[in-house]
Amino acid sequence: MKNIAWEIAGEFEDIKYEKAEGIAKITINRPEVRNAFRPLTVIEMMRALEDAREDHETGVIILTGEGPDAFCSGGDQKVRGDAGYLDSPDAPQRTPGGASVGRFHVTDLHVQIRRCPKPVVAMVAGYAVGGGHVLHVVCDLTIAADNAKFGQVGPRVGSFDGGFGASVLTQLVGPKRAKEIWFLCRMYSSDEAYEMGLVNKVVPLAELETETVTWCREMLERSPFALRLLKASFHAHEDGFAGIQQLAHDANLLFYGSEEAREGRDAFKEKRSPDFSQFPRRP
Ligand code: S0N
């Protein structure tokens, strides 16, 4: 198997962003806190993800954490304020009365991963815990190392994610298991996660990136528009009107390429009435 030669694709503080062979890799680079994310981390992840989405060369995106110990340990508890997360524990987002005015930046990141029309693959070594577990849950596929550990900790640390962290998890493992994961806050091995349908494949740690890249290369051989429509189709029902909107606008993308749609556009530009009589009224 040919090695992959990553090239730096942007300068960031909390993440590494690299590209190679049509694959973009976003790495949370805070191993000293088990890759916990603070607001800046999430903002940078969103910028990198947007770049990967817009890049016509990129077809698949890997999301991972630096080092073998953790994929991500969730929200950085050291900058957790009284109303969300802060850039630093003591300033500057505070009201004159002293109450914090942080927010959950990760809410938008979850939506962005779901919306991204390219497959997003979580590559998990070590802990995927709390908000870090939710991150892999919202990714399209998960490749896990044999040292990976999965779990939610919210009810132990005064937190919970009732968004995709509950609904998508339930889709993956079923309601009884999802409630067990949230209510008991246990940790699960990569083999247990595989048994539950939480991850797609478990490999030895030393083979994690090679295996993940193999899966990405395989997807890059497939039709990008078919992958795009499949992802939108899987989410259409789960994401309600927003999911249907994505699928509908993708249908628009295809319709724009038809003679029928072009007739409407051209007639407007040529200041004439459109002639739609030439097009079939399909049964
Ligand atoms: C990951 C764990 C199990 C690893 O244990 P291990 O290997 O024994 O390492 P430690 O010695 O514990 O940790 C090493 C250093 O890393 C720091 N650290 C670890 N995790 C975090 C973290 N999340 N935030 C800040 N620092 C962290 C340790 O403190 C240590 O550094 P030193 O030695 O300097 O103290 C273990 O570390 C663990 O259990 N970590 C905490 C896991 C946790 O509580 N995560 C947060 C859970 N909550 C969320 O993620 C919420 C996320 C969220 O974004 C959200 C989304 C939607 C709605 C609401 C929320 C919400 O925030 O509430």
Side-chain angles (χ1 to χ4, degrees):
M1 176 57 57
K2 181 166 74 83
N3 279 343
I4 189 158
W6 296 112
E7 288 184 12
I8 293 169
E11 291 299 329
F12 294 94
E13 197 175 324
D14 281 12
I15 67 165
K16 290 201 292 189
Y17 182 45
E18 298 157 292
K19 289 180 186 170
E21 299 180 25
I23 306 169
K25 183 168 73 157
I26 301 169
T27 306
I28 303 174
N29 191 19
R30 304 185 76 218
E32 68 283 1
V33 286
R34 298 293 184 264
N35 295 318
F37 52 77
R38 56 180 174 171
L40 178 66
T41 323
V42 178
I43 289 166
E44 291 186 346
M45 291 170 80
M46 292 175 72
R47 286 187 187 142
L49 196 56
E50 179 65 11
D51 177 89
R53 178 186 176 149
E54 291 292 339
D55 180 7
H56 289 224
E57 300 297 315
T58 296
V60 186
I61 299 149
I62 295 174
L63 185 57
T64 192
E66 180 63 22
D69 296 328
F71 168 74
C72 176
S73 63
D76 187 329
Q77 297 305 289
K78 290 161 190 165
V79 296
R80 176 174 153 184
D82 300 334
Y85 288 86
L86 305 161
D87 282 331
S88 76
D90 45 18
Q93 300 120 310
R94 288 188 178 271
T95 64
S100 68
V101 286
R103 69 180 176 94
F104 297 136
H105 294 75
V106 83
T107 306
D108 294 337
L109 176 63
H110 291 170
V111 172
Q112 195 184 354
I113 293 171
R114 300 273 294 179
R115 271 276 162 142
C116 180
K118 303 171 181 180
V120 182
V121 183
M123 181 168 84
V124 178
Y127 287 103
V129 166
H133 188 255
V134 177
L135 269 187
H136 103 87
V137 163
V138 297
C139 288
D140 299 303
L141 302 173
T142 298
I143 310 297
D146 52 7
N147 78 334
K149 293 189 191 67
F150 299 85
Q152 297 296 158
V153 293
R156 209 169 57 216
V157 296
S159 167
F160 64 94
D161 182 350
F164 292 130
S167 57
V168 177
L169 185 67
T170 302
Q171 294 280 345
L172 290 176
V173 301
K176 296 275 185 190
R177 277 292 204 170
K179 287 175 186 168
E180 170 192 318
I181 290 169
W182 272 105
F183 292 177
L184 278 71
C185 299
R186 287 181 183 166
M187 289 289 150
Y188 300 86
S189 69
S190 47
D191 286 339
E192 288 171 315
Y194 181 78
E195 289 297 312
M196 276 191 262
L198 255 182
V199 306
N200 296 85
K201 175 127 194 192
V202 179
V203 293
L205 176 61
E207 293 166 25
L208 179 61
E209 181 158 296
T210 308
E211 183 69 22
T212 307
V213 167
T214 299
W215 284 56
C216 292
R217 284 178 177 144
E218 220 170 301
M219 285 187 280
L220 287 169
E221 286 169 13
R222 309 286 170 250
S223 152
F225 211 94
L227 294 183
R228 176 190 183 101
L229 286 177
L230 275 168
K231 180 163 173 174
S233 303
F234 277 118
H235 296 173
H237 160 69
E238 292 174 11
D239 292 352
F241 285 150
I244 293 166
Q245 182 217 33
Q246 175 73 51
L247 201 54
H249 286 194
D250 278 354
N252 249 27
L253 273 181
L254 292 176
F255 183 53
Y256 267 30
S258 71
E259 286 296 321
E260 188 175 335
R262 280 204 286 266
E263 168 62 10
R265 177 199 62 194
D266 292 347
F268 176 81
K269 288 190 345 192
E270 292 159 14
K271 299 191 184 303
R272 62 175 172 81
S273 297
D275 175 14
F276 288 119
S277 67
Q278 55 189 306
F279 301 108
R281 295 190 157 74
R282 289 176 196 275

